[in-house]
């Protein structure tokens, strides 16, 4: 009987599922679209039922593609969009509110009330106080929906990030749990004790009864009942950490850049956390035998920038970005701050800005500027890491849908002055979740012992140091202008 692992990737735009074999090869995959709602400026939501349904469809499509009598799925791993919050009724499982996306900014004004506690939050969680994380969103909901706080205090309502919501439903309500990487993105977990922090719960006024229990990323999360099968859930992990694992960045100094709905640069720092001002310190994964840490920087808008270009009629699809950008002749700077600026700037009030427009500016110039703007924001993160000096980027692998845009990866290599391997693995996040489930099933002793697939195209820098510094100097002026305009 053939044995496989099932990996899930529940993201902002799709729900995905893959089956992998013992060599870490993806043998089946399925992708189901997920709708994003934007009911008001700054508000970003999903229908929790649609999240669950789309993920179940993806799972069923993968499972049914195999002959179940000859297939044994040894374990299941879940990766998910981090910081997106769901509340549901403990008895019925019905959602209480829409799922509030990590991109959502409705708690921005509320977050300012805790500005004096910035350093406390940073020291305990490794994160920056911003409305992107789950605690401000949860407090916002508790304050504004009648009767919800009382029910939460009585334990009648449960909350969690998307992984917790999926685990609860897959186990038919038997398990209300999360993992270290997702708990960390709620601004409520102490990164040192790996438990909910009483001082932070008090600060944000969150009733503990509403929260899931915290487990390692590789642990027993109960049994999923799917398509007549019972599959042990043996892993839960944030999507970016799963992508880091799926792209093979398992040793200190190995890094991954993921271009998805947002953009993320993560550098494996090994067994020790590193705190760098302006960036995030987090866990990469936790198992009985291994704890790995990452330093991370986030770009809030990548895929959403090109979606905006489509809505404006400037492009028909992301597939034509390379062709259009190649005909650019002018020099335009675009700061892609559709949802504010993330690391290392942290300006939630910032919005997308364009500099250098002239009478001869073309659509190609704007498309090229968007590509460069994303790459510049990733460079901003890398520059902070380089100046700190405690960890060096030894290797860099690119993944995510945006990595298929060749001009983006080449520009990134040019601006960083580093070669970048664009992985052949198109579903690195789901792969990482499946590999981690394999650790939980005993297939491999640790994530670093799992199969490592490192094939793909290498993009080497082609820009001179002089040109790189000149362009980057102009970019810094654009960022300062955005900062000044937004009041930062």
């Amino acid at each position: 009987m053939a044995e496989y692992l099932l990996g899930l990737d529940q993201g902002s735009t799709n729900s995905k599922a893959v089956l992998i074999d013992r060599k870490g090869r993806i043998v089946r995959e399925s992708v189901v679209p997920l709708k994003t709602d934007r009911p008001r400026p700054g508000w970003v939501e999903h229908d929790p039922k649609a999240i669950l349904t789309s993920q179940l469809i993806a799972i069923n499509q993968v499972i049914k593609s195999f002959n179940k009598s000859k297939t044994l799925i040894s374990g299941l791993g879940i990766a998910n969009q981090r910081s997106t919050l769901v509340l549901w009724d403990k008895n019925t499982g019905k959602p209480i509110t829409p799922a509030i996306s990590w991109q959502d900014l409705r708690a921005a004004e509320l977050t300012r009330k805790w500005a004096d506690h910035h350093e406390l939050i940073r020291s305990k969680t490794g994160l920056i106080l911003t409305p992107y994380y789950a605690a401000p969103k949860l407090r916002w909901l508790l304050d504004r929906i009648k009767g919800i706080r009382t029910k939460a205090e009585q334990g009648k309502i449960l909350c969690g990030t998307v992984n917790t919501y999926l685990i609860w439903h897959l186990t038919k309500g038997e398990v209300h749990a999360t993992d270290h990487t997702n708990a960390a993105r709620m601004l409520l977990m102490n990164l040192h004790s790996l438990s909910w922090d009483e001082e932070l719960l008090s600060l944000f006024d969150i009733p503990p009864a509403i929260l899931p229990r915290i487990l390692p990323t590789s642990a027993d999360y109960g049994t999923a009942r799917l398509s007549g099968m019972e599959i042990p859930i043996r892993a839960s992990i944030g999507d970016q950490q799963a992508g880091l694992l799926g792209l093979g960045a398992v040793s200190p100094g190995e890094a991954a850049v993921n271009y998805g709905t947002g953009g993320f640069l993560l550098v494996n720092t090994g067994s020790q956390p590193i705190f760098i001002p302006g960036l995030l310190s987090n866990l990469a994964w936790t198992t009985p035998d291994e704890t790995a840490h990452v330093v991370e920087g986030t770009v809030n808008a990548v895929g959403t920038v090109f979606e905006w270009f489509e809505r404006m009629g400037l492009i028909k699809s992301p597939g034509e970005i390379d062709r259009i950008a190649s005909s650019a002749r002018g020099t335009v700077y675009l700061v892609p701050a559709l949802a504010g600026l993330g690391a290392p700037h942290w300006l939630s009030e910032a919005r997308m800005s364009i500099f250098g427009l002239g009478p001869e500016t073309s659509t190609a110039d704007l498309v090229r500027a968007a590509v460069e703007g994303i790459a510049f924001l990733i460079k901003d993160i890398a520059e902070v890491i380089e100046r700190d000096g405690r960890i060096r980027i030894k290797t860099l692998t690119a993944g995510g849908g945006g990595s298929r845009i060749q001009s983006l990866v080449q520009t990134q290599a040019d601006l960083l002055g580093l070669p970048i391997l664009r992985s052949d693995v198109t579903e690195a996040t789901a792969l990482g979740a499946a590999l981690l489930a394999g650790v939980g099933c005993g297939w491999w002793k640790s994530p670093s012992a799992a199969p490592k697939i490192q094939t793909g195209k290498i993009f080497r820098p082609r820009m001179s140091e002089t040109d790189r510094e000149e362009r980057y100097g102009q970019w810094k002026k654009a960022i300062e202008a955005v900062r000044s305009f937004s009041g930062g």
Side-chain angles (χ1 to χ4, degrees), residues 10-323:
Q10 201 301 300
S12 302
T13 57
N14 299 288
S15 292
K16 303 176 181 180
V18 301
L19 275 181
I20 72 168
D21 61 18
R22 282 189 174 269
K23 293 183 178 180
R25 298 175 301 192
I26 296 176
V27 296
R28 288 288 190 280
E29 61 184 75
S30 176
V31 180
V32 178
L34 176 68
K35 181 184 176 184
T36 299
D37 299 315
R38 301 177 186 272
R40 298 185 190 178
W43 289 32
V44 187
E45 302 175 345
H46 300 287
D47 178 355
K49 293 181 180 178
I51 290 176
L52 178 62
T53 300
S54 62
Q55 190 63 80
L56 289 174
I57 291 172
I59 293 169
N60 288 332
Q61 287 177 348
V62 165
I63 291 177
K64 288 180 180 179
S65 67
F66 264 52
N67 185 337
K68 287 189 289 185
S69 65
K70 297 180 181 178
T71 303
L72 173 64
I73 300 179
S74 300
L76 183 161
I78 299 172
N80 60 287
Q81 50 173 312
R82 304 168 302 177
S83 302
T84 295
L85 182 71
V86 187
L87 275 71
W88 65 96
D89 185 283
K90 182 178 181 179
N91 293 321
T92 66
K94 293 182 179 180
I96 305 296
T97 69
I100 311 301
S101 169
W102 61 272
Q103 306 168 79
D104 191 280
L105 298 174
R106 72 185 65 187
E109 184 176 349
L110 181 62
T111 304
R112 297 188 190 99
K113 294 183 178 181
W114 301 302
D116 292 343
H117 301 279
H118 173 86
E119 289 304 321
L120 171 71
I121 293 168
R122 170 72 169 165
S123 66
K124 286 178 175 285
T125 67
L127 303 180
I128 307 295
L129 173 62
T130 81
Y132 301 107
Y133 302 125
K137 304 179 196 300
L138 179 54
R139 172 65 182 274
W140 191 95
L141 291 170
L142 291 172
D143 286 351
R144 283 163 176 77
I145 300 179
K146 185 177 180 180
I148 194 173
R149 177 172 289 278
T150 299
K151 290 183 179 179
E153 292 171 346
Q154 294 172 345
K156 296 180 179 179
I157 292 175
L158 301 178
C159 86
T161 43
V162 170
N163 62 313
T164 300
Y165 179 69
L166 291 177
I167 290 167
W168 193 91
H169 279 280
L170 291 174
T171 62
K172 308 303 181 185
E174 292 180 2
V175 179
H176 183 222
T178 191
D179 64 87
H180 290 136
T181 63
N182 277 292
R185 305 300 282 206
M186 294 189 74
L187 276 186
L188 297 172
M189 189 190 83
N190 189 305
L191 194 60
H192 310 284
S193 67
L194 302 183
S195 60
W196 300 123
D197 188 274
E198 292 185 5
E199 190 173 9
L200 293 176
L201 290 172
S202 176
L203 175 66
F204 290 108
D205 195 14
I206 304 298
I210 201 172
L211 296 171
R213 61 191 175 107
I214 305 174
L215 299 174
T217 58
S218 179
D220 183 354
Y221 287 88
T223 301
R225 295 167 178 84
L226 298 161
S227 300
M229 304 175 71
E230 292 191 348
I231 305 173
I233 305 175
R234 290 297 178 263
S236 173
I237 187 171
D239 54 2
Q240 300 309 315
Q241 287 93 334
L244 190 75
L245 177 55
L247 292 173
V250 295
S251 300
E254 294 179 337
V257 57
N258 184 19
Y259 304 105
T261 301
F264 304 86
L265 176 63
L266 285 82
V267 184
N268 189 317
T269 66
S271 60
Q272 296 299 320
I274 294 178
F275 292 84
I276 300 176
L279 303 185
L280 311 177
S281 182
N282 208 336
L283 293 155
W285 49 75
T286 53
T287 74
D289 299 308
E290 183 178 61
T291 296
H293 295 80
V294 294
V295 62
E296 174 185 347
T298 62
V299 174
N300 294 334
V302 173
T304 47
V305 173
F306 298 122
E307 288 174 6
W308 182 85
F309 269 63
E310 285 186 63
R311 291 201 305 274
M312 294 298 104
L314 297 173
I315 63 173
K316 294 180 180 178
S317 73
E320 62 179 6
I321 289 172
D322 284 329
R323 177 183 60 79

Side-chain angles (χ1 to χ4, degrees), residues 6 12 19 22 29 87 114 126 138 166 175 193 317 339 346-348 395 404 422 441-442 455 462 469 471:
L6 178 62
S12 302
L19 275 181
R22 282 189 174 269
E29 61 184 75
L87 275 71
W114 301 302
L138 179 54
L166 291 177
V175 179
S193 67
S317 73
W346 299 111
L347 292 170
S348 59
T395 65
R404 299 301 109 183
R422 184 180 67 185
C441 292
T455 58
R462 300 185 299 205
E469 290 304 314
R471 295 295 311 280

